[in-house]
């Protein structure tokens, strides 16, 4: 369960500690102080496929920054409806991570997207389809939006259909080789 903005439970402490450690290795600082991706692989793949993936590097919106301190600048991608955001602790995402790291993604949904229907499944179900193919895989995040490791079988642009607590959204994510 999420805690209020002034409170920080064990999940919030995990996110805060993870973000400090992981951000140090995932981003560089530009002259303006904004976080910038360490690689343009995702941008190149987006241009090559017409993929709609757009990795933001500015501050997280207020509704998604619980557990972060200060100006939370971390790579993230918004769902098409704006109801969910994928916070990318590993950027770029990769099909194979030879350095032992993971494709860590923190899924944060707007509080308003929590279903009042107690029968709606809380699990975040991700149906990913590789752009231009019939390749489709399903991943699940138990308990709904939250921390996850999402590996996909091939590099390229993946269209994600997201379902949780009676809500839906979509987004594109690029996985580099």
């Amino acid at each position: 369960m999420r805690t209020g903005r002034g409170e920080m439970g064990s999940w919030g402490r995990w996110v805060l500690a993870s973000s400090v450690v992981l951000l140090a290795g995932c981003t560089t600082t530009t002259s303006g102080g904004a976080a910038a991706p360490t690689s343009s692989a995702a941008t190149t793949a987006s241009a090559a496929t017409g993929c709609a993936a757009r990795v933001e590097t500015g501050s997280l919106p207020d509704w998604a920054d619980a557990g972060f301190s200060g100006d939370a600048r971390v790579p993230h991608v918004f769902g098409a409806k704006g109801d969910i955001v994928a916070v990318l602790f590993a950027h770029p995402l990769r099909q194979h991570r030879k350095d032992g790291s993971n494709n860590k993604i923190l899924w944060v949904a707007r509080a308003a997207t929590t279903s009042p229907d107690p029968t709606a499944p809380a699990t975040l179900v991700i149906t990913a389809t590789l752009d231009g193919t019939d390749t489709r895989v399903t991943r699940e995040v138990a308990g709904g939006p939250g921390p996850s490791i999402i590996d996909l079988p091939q590099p390229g642009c993946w269209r994600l259909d997201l379902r949780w607590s009676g809500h839906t959204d979509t987004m594109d994510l690029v996985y580099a080789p």
Side-chain angles (χ1 to χ4, degrees):
M1 179 172 199
R2 300 185 90 167
T3 60
R5 198 166 167 86
E7 304 169 4
M8 187 180 313
S10 60
W11 180 85
R13 285 189 295 276
W14 177 84
V15 169
L16 179 60
S18 297
S19 65
V20 171
V21 172
L22 292 172
L23 286 177
C26 294
T27 61
T28 59
T29 303
T30 63
S31 60
T38 57
S39 168
S40 62
T43 304
T44 303
S46 294
T49 65
C51 183
R54 192 172 114 195
V55 178
E56 306 269 341
T57 57
S59 298
L60 289 171
D62 289 342
W63 58 267
D65 70 357
F68 290 90
S69 63
D71 186 17
R73 292 180 180 268
V74 60
H76 57 280
V77 177
F78 286 98
K81 294 179 183 177
D83 289 337
I84 193 164
V85 64
V87 180
L88 307 177
F89 288 103
H91 181 65
L93 298 168
R94 296 199 177 279
Q95 178 197 9
H96 296 291
R97 300 198 76 84
K98 296 177 183 172
D99 63 359
S101 63
N102 294 306
N103 288 315
K104 293 182 183 181
I105 301 174
L106 173 63
W107 301 95
V108 183
R110 285 186 187 262
T113 65
T114 302
S115 176
D117 179 3
T119 63
T123 300
L124 170 62
V125 178
I126 303 165
T127 303
T129 305
L130 183 61
D131 186 43
T133 73
D134 291 331
T135 303
R136 183 178 302 215
V137 297
T138 301
R139 303 291 186 258
E140 294 185 352
V141 179
S148 68
I149 296 172
I150 304 296
D151 294 322
L152 295 176
Q154 293 177 251
C157 177
W158 288 85
R159 165 62 49 96
L160 278 56
D161 292 312
L162 309 164
R163 294 182 316 231
W164 73 100
S165 301
H167 295 275
T168 63
D169 209 336
T170 61
M171 74 173 56
D172 290 349
L173 292 179
V174 172
Y175 277 70

